[in-house]
Amino acid sequence: MKHDENLLVVAMEESAELQQELSKALRFGAENYHPDEPNITNAWRIQREFHQLRAVIDMLIIRRIISPMPESEQSRIYRDKVEQVEKYERYSESIGKVKG
């Protein structure tokens, strides 16, 4: 395996770890914690995994495995995603699938 391939695998692993922490927060609550680590909440674990994934994405950019995205494009994508999630959340609420 080449270094760029290894780093892509690390990004995949970090994505999976973020998914796992999100699942735990859903199952047990964001402010709950693992019994072996009562000082670290599931909410904190989510943020930790997110920032670890960001670090790997930054490494992919620094090593020129992927190209950096202009800040204006990042902002547009962010805004579009927030709007899309809110739109479909309202729809799900209107059909009784999502509640307060």
Side-chain angles (χ1 to χ4, degrees), residues 9-55:
V9 170
V10 172
M12 292 167 52
E13 290 173 351
E14 292 301 332
S15 296
E17 289 170 12
L18 177 57
Q19 290 175 337
Q20 183 179 22
E21 296 304 338
L22 290 163
S23 175
K24 287 177 184 176
L26 187 58
R27 292 174 61 212
F28 305 116
E31 294 308 312
N32 204 333
Y33 51 86
H34 188 281
D36 294 341
E37 296 181 295
N39 297 327
I40 302 175
T41 65
N42 292 330
W44 190 89
R45 289 172 177 276
I46 289 168
Q47 292 186 60
R48 178 182 60 193
E49 295 303 334
F50 171 76
H51 289 292
Q52 288 179 351
L53 175 59
R54 261 186 71 196

Short mmCIF file of all heavy atoms in Angstrom, two decimals, residues 9-55:
data_model
loop_
_atom_site.label_atom_id
_atom_site.label_comp_id
_atom_site.label_asym_id
_atom_site.label_seq_id
_atom_site.Cartn_x
_atom_site.Cartn_y
_atom_site.Cartn_z
N VAL A 9 -7.34 5.31 3.71
CA VAL A 9 -7.91 4.30 4.61
C VAL A 9 -8.10 4.89 6.01
O VAL A 9 -9.12 4.66 6.66
CB VAL A 9 -7.05 3.02 4.65
CG1 VAL A 9 -7.50 2.09 5.77
CG2 VAL A 9 -7.08 2.31 3.31
N VAL A 10 -7.13 5.66 6.47
CA VAL A 10 -7.25 6.30 7.78
C VAL A 10 -8.47 7.23 7.80
O VAL A 10 -9.23 7.25 8.78
CB VAL A 10 -5.96 7.06 8.16
CG1 VAL A 10 -6.16 7.88 9.42
CG2 VAL A 10 -4.80 6.09 8.34
N ALA A 11 -8.69 7.96 6.71
CA ALA A 11 -9.88 8.82 6.63
C ALA A 11 -11.16 7.99 6.71
O ALA A 11 -12.12 8.38 7.39
CB ALA A 11 -9.85 9.65 5.35
N MET A 12 -11.17 6.86 6.05
CA MET A 12 -12.33 5.96 6.12
C MET A 12 -12.54 5.49 7.56
O MET A 12 -13.68 5.47 8.06
CB MET A 12 -12.12 4.76 5.20
CG MET A 12 -12.14 5.11 3.73
SD MET A 12 -11.53 3.78 2.64
CE MET A 12 -12.50 2.40 3.16
N GLU A 13 -11.47 5.12 8.23
CA GLU A 13 -11.57 4.64 9.60
C GLU A 13 -12.08 5.74 10.53
O GLU A 13 -12.93 5.49 11.40
CB GLU A 13 -10.22 4.13 10.09
CG GLU A 13 -9.79 2.84 9.42
CD GLU A 13 -8.38 2.42 9.76
OE1 GLU A 13 -7.63 3.21 10.39
OE2 GLU A 13 -8.00 1.29 9.39
N GLU A 14 -11.58 6.95 10.35
CA GLU A 14 -12.04 8.07 11.18
C GLU A 14 -13.52 8.35 10.94
O GLU A 14 -14.26 8.66 11.88
CB GLU A 14 -11.20 9.32 10.93
CG GLU A 14 -9.77 9.22 11.42
CD GLU A 14 -9.64 8.94 12.92
OE1 GLU A 14 -10.54 9.31 13.70
OE2 GLU A 14 -8.63 8.32 13.30
N SER A 15 -13.95 8.23 9.69
CA SER A 15 -15.37 8.42 9.37
C SER A 15 -16.22 7.38 10.09
O SER A 15 -17.28 7.69 10.65
CB SER A 15 -15.62 8.31 7.86
OG SER A 15 -14.97 9.34 7.18
N ALA A 16 -15.75 6.14 10.10
CA ALA A 16 -16.47 5.07 10.78
C ALA A 16 -16.51 5.30 12.29
O ALA A 16 -17.53 5.03 12.94
CB ALA A 16 -15.83 3.72 10.46
N GLU A 17 -15.42 5.81 12.84
CA GLU A 17 -15.38 6.08 14.28
C GLU A 17 -16.35 7.20 14.64
O GLU A 17 -17.01 7.15 15.69
CB GLU A 17 -13.96 6.40 14.72
CG GLU A 17 -13.06 5.17 14.68
CD GLU A 17 -11.59 5.48 14.87
OE1 GLU A 17 -11.24 6.62 15.27
OE2 GLU A 17 -10.76 4.57 14.63
N LEU A 18 -16.47 8.20 13.77
CA LEU A 18 -17.45 9.27 13.99
C LEU A 18 -18.86 8.69 13.97
O LEU A 18 -19.69 8.99 14.83
CB LEU A 18 -17.28 10.37 12.94
CG LEU A 18 -18.28 11.52 12.99
CD1 LEU A 18 -18.28 12.20 14.36
CD2 LEU A 18 -17.98 12.51 11.88
N GLN A 19 -19.13 7.82 13.01
CA GLN A 19 -20.44 7.17 12.94
C GLN A 19 -20.73 6.40 14.23
O GLN A 19 -21.85 6.43 14.75
CB GLN A 19 -20.50 6.21 11.76
CG GLN A 19 -20.51 6.88 10.42
CD GLN A 19 -20.43 5.87 9.28
OE1 GLN A 19 -19.96 4.74 9.45
NE2 GLN A 19 -20.89 6.28 8.12
N GLN A 20 -19.75 5.70 14.73
CA GLN A 20 -19.93 4.90 15.94
C GLN A 20 -20.28 5.79 17.13
O GLN A 20 -21.19 5.48 17.91
CB GLN A 20 -18.66 4.10 16.22
CG GLN A 20 -18.78 3.20 17.43
CD GLN A 20 -17.51 2.41 17.67
OE1 GLN A 20 -16.43 2.78 17.24
NE2 GLN A 20 -17.65 1.31 18.38
N GLU A 21 -19.59 6.91 17.27
CA GLU A 21 -19.88 7.81 18.39
C GLU A 21 -21.25 8.46 18.25
O GLU A 21 -21.95 8.66 19.25
CB GLU A 21 -18.77 8.86 18.53
CG GLU A 21 -17.41 8.30 18.88
CD GLU A 21 -17.37 7.44 20.14
OE1 GLU A 21 -18.25 7.57 21.02
OE2 GLU A 21 -16.44 6.63 20.25
N LEU A 22 -21.65 8.79 17.04
CA LEU A 22 -22.99 9.33 16.82
C LEU A 22 -24.05 8.30 17.21
O LEU A 22 -25.06 8.63 17.84
CB LEU A 22 -23.16 9.75 15.35
CG LEU A 22 -22.37 10.97 14.93
CD1 LEU A 22 -22.27 11.05 13.41
CD2 LEU A 22 -22.98 12.23 15.51
N SER A 23 -23.81 7.05 16.86
CA SER A 23 -24.72 5.97 17.22
C SER A 23 -24.84 5.82 18.73
O SER A 23 -25.94 5.65 19.27
CB SER A 23 -24.25 4.67 16.57
OG SER A 23 -25.05 3.59 16.98
N LYS A 24 -23.72 5.90 19.42
CA LYS A 24 -23.74 5.77 20.88
C LYS A 24 -24.53 6.92 21.52
O LYS A 24 -25.28 6.71 22.48
CB LYS A 24 -22.32 5.74 21.43
CG LYS A 24 -21.61 4.43 21.15
CD LYS A 24 -20.19 4.48 21.66
CE LYS A 24 -19.45 3.21 21.29
NZ LYS A 24 -18.03 3.26 21.68
N ALA A 25 -24.37 8.12 20.98
CA ALA A 25 -25.12 9.26 21.52
C ALA A 25 -26.62 9.07 21.30
O ALA A 25 -27.43 9.40 22.16
CB ALA A 25 -24.64 10.56 20.87
N LEU A 26 -26.97 8.51 20.17
CA LEU A 26 -28.38 8.24 19.89
C LEU A 26 -28.92 7.15 20.81
O LEU A 26 -30.03 7.27 21.35
CB LEU A 26 -28.54 7.84 18.42
CG LEU A 26 -29.97 7.68 17.90
CD1 LEU A 26 -30.76 8.96 18.07
CD2 LEU A 26 -29.94 7.27 16.44
N ARG A 27 -28.16 6.12 21.01
CA ARG A 27 -28.60 4.99 21.83
C ARG A 27 -28.62 5.31 23.32
O ARG A 27 -29.55 4.93 24.03
CB ARG A 27 -27.69 3.78 21.60
CG ARG A 27 -27.84 3.19 20.21
CD ARG A 27 -26.83 2.09 19.94
NE ARG A 27 -26.99 0.98 20.87
CZ ARG A 27 -25.98 0.23 21.29
NH1 ARG A 27 -24.75 0.48 20.90
NH2 ARG A 27 -26.20 -0.77 22.11
N PHE A 28 -27.59 6.02 23.81
CA PHE A 28 -27.43 6.20 25.25
C PHE A 28 -27.56 7.64 25.73
O PHE A 28 -27.59 7.89 26.93
CB PHE A 28 -26.05 5.66 25.68
CG PHE A 28 -25.83 4.23 25.28
CD1 PHE A 28 -24.83 3.90 24.37
CD2 PHE A 28 -26.62 3.21 25.79
CE1 PHE A 28 -24.61 2.58 24.00
CE2 PHE A 28 -26.41 1.88 25.41
CZ PHE A 28 -25.41 1.57 24.51
N GLY A 29 -27.59 8.59 24.80
CA GLY A 29 -27.69 10.00 25.15
C GLY A 29 -26.36 10.71 24.98
O GLY A 29 -25.30 10.15 25.27
N ALA A 30 -26.43 11.95 24.52
CA ALA A 30 -25.22 12.72 24.25
C ALA A 30 -24.43 13.03 25.52
O ALA A 30 -23.20 13.08 25.50
CB ALA A 30 -25.57 14.02 23.52
N GLU A 31 -25.12 13.21 26.62
CA GLU A 31 -24.43 13.56 27.86
C GLU A 31 -24.05 12.33 28.69
O GLU A 31 -23.45 12.46 29.75
CB GLU A 31 -25.26 14.54 28.68
CG GLU A 31 -25.41 15.90 28.00
CD GLU A 31 -24.08 16.50 27.55
OE1 GLU A 31 -23.12 16.52 28.37
OE2 GLU A 31 -23.99 16.97 26.41
N ASN A 32 -24.40 11.16 28.21
CA ASN A 32 -24.00 9.93 28.88
C ASN A 32 -22.53 9.64 28.56
O ASN A 32 -21.91 10.37 27.78
CB ASN A 32 -24.90 8.76 28.43
CG ASN A 32 -24.95 7.65 29.45
OD1 ASN A 32 -24.03 7.44 30.22
ND2 ASN A 32 -26.06 6.92 29.43
N TYR A 33 -21.99 8.60 29.12
CA TYR A 33 -20.56 8.31 28.97
C TYR A 33 -20.34 6.81 29.08
O TYR A 33 -21.19 6.07 29.55
CB TYR A 33 -19.76 9.04 30.05
CG TYR A 33 -20.30 8.79 31.43
CD1 TYR A 33 -19.91 7.67 32.16
CD2 TYR A 33 -21.23 9.65 31.99
CE1 TYR A 33 -20.43 7.41 33.41
CE2 TYR A 33 -21.75 9.40 33.26
CZ TYR A 33 -21.35 8.29 33.97
OH TYR A 33 -21.87 8.03 35.20
N HIS A 34 -19.16 6.39 28.65
CA HIS A 34 -18.77 5.00 28.79
C HIS A 34 -18.43 4.77 30.26
O HIS A 34 -17.75 5.60 30.88
CB HIS A 34 -17.55 4.70 27.92
CG HIS A 34 -17.20 3.25 27.85
ND1 HIS A 34 -16.51 2.61 28.87
CD2 HIS A 34 -17.47 2.31 26.92
CE1 HIS A 34 -16.36 1.35 28.56
NE2 HIS A 34 -16.93 1.13 27.37
N PRO A 35 -18.87 3.65 30.85
CA PRO A 35 -18.61 3.39 32.28
C PRO A 35 -17.13 3.44 32.68
O PRO A 35 -16.81 3.81 33.80
CB PRO A 35 -19.18 1.99 32.51
CG PRO A 35 -20.15 1.77 31.41
CD PRO A 35 -19.67 2.59 30.24
N ASP A 36 -16.26 3.10 31.76
CA ASP A 36 -14.82 3.13 32.07
C ASP A 36 -14.23 4.53 32.01
O ASP A 36 -13.10 4.74 32.47
CB ASP A 36 -14.05 2.22 31.10
CG ASP A 36 -14.39 0.75 31.29
OD1 ASP A 36 -14.92 0.39 32.37
OD2 ASP A 36 -14.14 -0.03 30.36
N GLU A 37 -14.97 5.47 31.41
CA GLU A 37 -14.47 6.85 31.27
C GLU A 37 -15.58 7.84 31.60
O GLU A 37 -16.10 8.53 30.71
CB GLU A 37 -13.94 7.09 29.86
CG GLU A 37 -12.74 6.25 29.50
CD GLU A 37 -12.23 6.54 28.10
OE1 GLU A 37 -12.95 6.27 27.14
OE2 GLU A 37 -11.11 7.07 28.02
N PRO A 38 -15.94 7.96 32.87
CA PRO A 38 -17.07 8.81 33.25
C PRO A 38 -16.85 10.30 33.05
O PRO A 38 -17.80 11.07 33.11
CB PRO A 38 -17.28 8.47 34.73
CG PRO A 38 -15.96 7.97 35.20
CD PRO A 38 -15.34 7.28 34.02
N ASN A 39 -15.64 10.73 32.78
CA ASN A 39 -15.37 12.16 32.57
C ASN A 39 -15.47 12.58 31.11
O ASN A 39 -15.29 13.76 30.80
CB ASN A 39 -13.98 12.52 33.11
CG ASN A 39 -13.90 12.31 34.60
OD1 ASN A 39 -14.88 12.49 35.33
ND2 ASN A 39 -12.73 11.92 35.09
N ILE A 40 -15.75 11.63 30.22
CA ILE A 40 -15.81 11.95 28.79
C ILE A 40 -17.21 11.61 28.27
O ILE A 40 -17.58 10.43 28.19
CB ILE A 40 -14.74 11.16 28.01
CG1 ILE A 40 -13.34 11.48 28.55
CG2 ILE A 40 -14.83 11.48 26.52
CD1 ILE A 40 -12.24 10.65 27.92
N THR A 41 -17.98 12.63 27.92
CA THR A 41 -19.34 12.40 27.44
C THR A 41 -19.34 11.94 25.98
O THR A 41 -18.36 12.14 25.25
CB THR A 41 -20.19 13.67 27.54
OG1 THR A 41 -19.64 14.65 26.65
CG2 THR A 41 -20.25 14.21 28.96
N ASN A 42 -20.46 11.37 25.59
CA ASN A 42 -20.61 10.97 24.18
C ASN A 42 -20.55 12.20 23.27
O ASN A 42 -20.02 12.12 22.16
CB ASN A 42 -21.92 10.21 23.99
CG ASN A 42 -21.89 8.86 24.68
OD1 ASN A 42 -20.84 8.23 24.82
ND2 ASN A 42 -23.05 8.40 25.12
N ALA A 43 -21.06 13.34 23.74
CA ALA A 43 -21.00 14.57 22.95
C ALA A 43 -19.54 14.97 22.69
O ALA A 43 -19.17 15.36 21.58
CB ALA A 43 -21.74 15.70 23.67
N TRP A 44 -18.70 14.86 23.72
CA TRP A 44 -17.29 15.19 23.57
C TRP A 44 -16.62 14.22 22.61
O TRP A 44 -15.80 14.61 21.78
CB TRP A 44 -16.59 15.18 24.93
CG TRP A 44 -15.21 15.73 24.88
CD1 TRP A 44 -14.84 17.03 25.03
CD2 TRP A 44 -14.00 15.00 24.63
NE1 TRP A 44 -13.48 17.15 24.91
CE2 TRP A 44 -12.93 15.90 24.65
CE3 TRP A 44 -13.73 13.65 24.38
CZ2 TRP A 44 -11.62 15.53 24.45
CZ3 TRP A 44 -12.41 13.28 24.18
CH2 TRP A 44 -11.38 14.22 24.22
N ARG A 45 -16.98 12.94 22.71
CA ARG A 45 -16.40 11.92 21.83
C ARG A 45 -16.75 12.20 20.35
O ARG A 45 -15.93 11.99 19.47
CB ARG A 45 -16.90 10.53 22.22
CG ARG A 45 -16.35 10.03 23.52
CD ARG A 45 -17.07 8.72 23.93
NE ARG A 45 -16.52 8.18 25.13
CZ ARG A 45 -15.45 7.39 25.19
NH1 ARG A 45 -14.81 7.04 24.12
NH2 ARG A 45 -15.02 6.94 26.34
N ILE A 46 -17.98 12.66 20.11
CA ILE A 46 -18.38 13.02 18.75
C ILE A 46 -17.46 14.11 18.21
O ILE A 46 -16.94 14.02 17.10
CB ILE A 46 -19.85 13.48 18.70
CG1 ILE A 46 -20.78 12.29 18.94
CG2 ILE A 46 -20.17 14.17 17.37
CD1 ILE A 46 -22.22 12.68 19.19
N GLN A 47 -17.27 15.15 19.01
CA GLN A 47 -16.42 16.25 18.57
C GLN A 47 -14.97 15.81 18.38
O GLN A 47 -14.31 16.24 17.42
CB GLN A 47 -16.51 17.41 19.56
CG GLN A 47 -17.89 18.05 19.54
CD GLN A 47 -17.95 19.27 20.39
OE1 GLN A 47 -17.21 20.23 20.14
NE2 GLN A 47 -18.81 19.27 21.39
N ARG A 48 -14.51 14.96 19.25
CA ARG A 48 -13.13 14.46 19.10
C ARG A 48 -12.96 13.73 17.77
O ARG A 48 -12.01 13.98 17.03
CB ARG A 48 -12.77 13.51 20.26
CG ARG A 48 -11.37 12.93 20.10
CD ARG A 48 -11.01 11.97 21.20
NE ARG A 48 -11.94 10.84 21.22
CZ ARG A 48 -12.03 9.99 22.23
NH1 ARG A 48 -11.28 10.13 23.31
NH2 ARG A 48 -12.89 8.98 22.18
N GLU A 49 -13.90 12.84 17.45
CA GLU A 49 -13.80 12.09 16.19
C GLU A 49 -13.93 13.02 14.98
O GLU A 49 -13.25 12.83 13.97
CB GLU A 49 -14.84 10.97 16.14
CG GLU A 49 -14.61 9.89 17.17
CD GLU A 49 -13.26 9.21 17.09
OE1 GLU A 49 -12.64 9.19 16.01
OE2 GLU A 49 -12.81 8.69 18.13
N PHE A 50 -14.80 14.01 15.08
CA PHE A 50 -14.95 14.97 14.00
C PHE A 50 -13.63 15.69 13.73
O PHE A 50 -13.19 15.81 12.58
CB PHE A 50 -16.05 15.99 14.33
CG PHE A 50 -16.10 17.13 13.36
CD1 PHE A 50 -16.66 16.97 12.10
CD2 PHE A 50 -15.59 18.37 13.70
CE1 PHE A 50 -16.70 18.03 11.20
CE2 PHE A 50 -15.63 19.43 12.81
CZ PHE A 50 -16.18 19.26 11.55
N HIS A 51 -12.98 16.14 14.78
CA HIS A 51 -11.72 16.89 14.61
C HIS A 51 -10.58 15.98 14.17
O HIS A 51 -9.69 16.41 13.43
CB HIS A 51 -11.39 17.67 15.86
CG HIS A 51 -12.32 18.83 16.05
ND1 HIS A 51 -12.32 19.92 15.22
CD2 HIS A 51 -13.31 19.04 16.94
CE1 HIS A 51 -13.26 20.77 15.60
NE2 HIS A 51 -13.88 20.25 16.63
N GLN A 52 -10.63 14.72 14.58
CA GLN A 52 -9.62 13.78 14.08
C GLN A 52 -9.82 13.54 12.58
O GLN A 52 -8.84 13.47 11.83
CB GLN A 52 -9.70 12.47 14.86
CG GLN A 52 -9.16 12.60 16.27
CD GLN A 52 -9.26 11.32 17.07
OE1 GLN A 52 -9.88 10.35 16.65
NE2 GLN A 52 -8.66 11.32 18.25
N LEU A 53 -11.06 13.44 12.15
CA LEU A 53 -11.32 13.30 10.71
C LEU A 53 -10.87 14.55 9.96
O LEU A 53 -10.24 14.45 8.91
CB LEU A 53 -12.81 13.03 10.47
CG LEU A 53 -13.26 12.98 9.01
CD1 LEU A 53 -12.51 11.90 8.23
CD2 LEU A 53 -14.77 12.76 8.94
N ARG A 54 -11.17 15.71 10.51
CA ARG A 54 -10.71 16.97 9.89
C ARG A 54 -9.20 17.00 9.75
O ARG A 54 -8.66 17.44 8.73
CB ARG A 54 -11.16 18.17 10.73
CG ARG A 54 -12.39 18.82 10.20
CD ARG A 54 -12.72 20.08 10.95
NE ARG A 54 -11.77 21.14 10.64
CZ ARG A 54 -11.63 22.22 11.37
NH1 ARG A 54 -12.31 22.41 12.46
NH2 ARG A 54 -10.77 23.15 11.01
N ALA A 55 -8.50 16.53 10.76
CA ALA A 55 -7.03 16.50 10.71
C ALA A 55 -6.56 15.63 9.55
O ALA A 55 -5.64 16.01 8.82
CB ALA A 55 -6.47 15.99 12.03
#
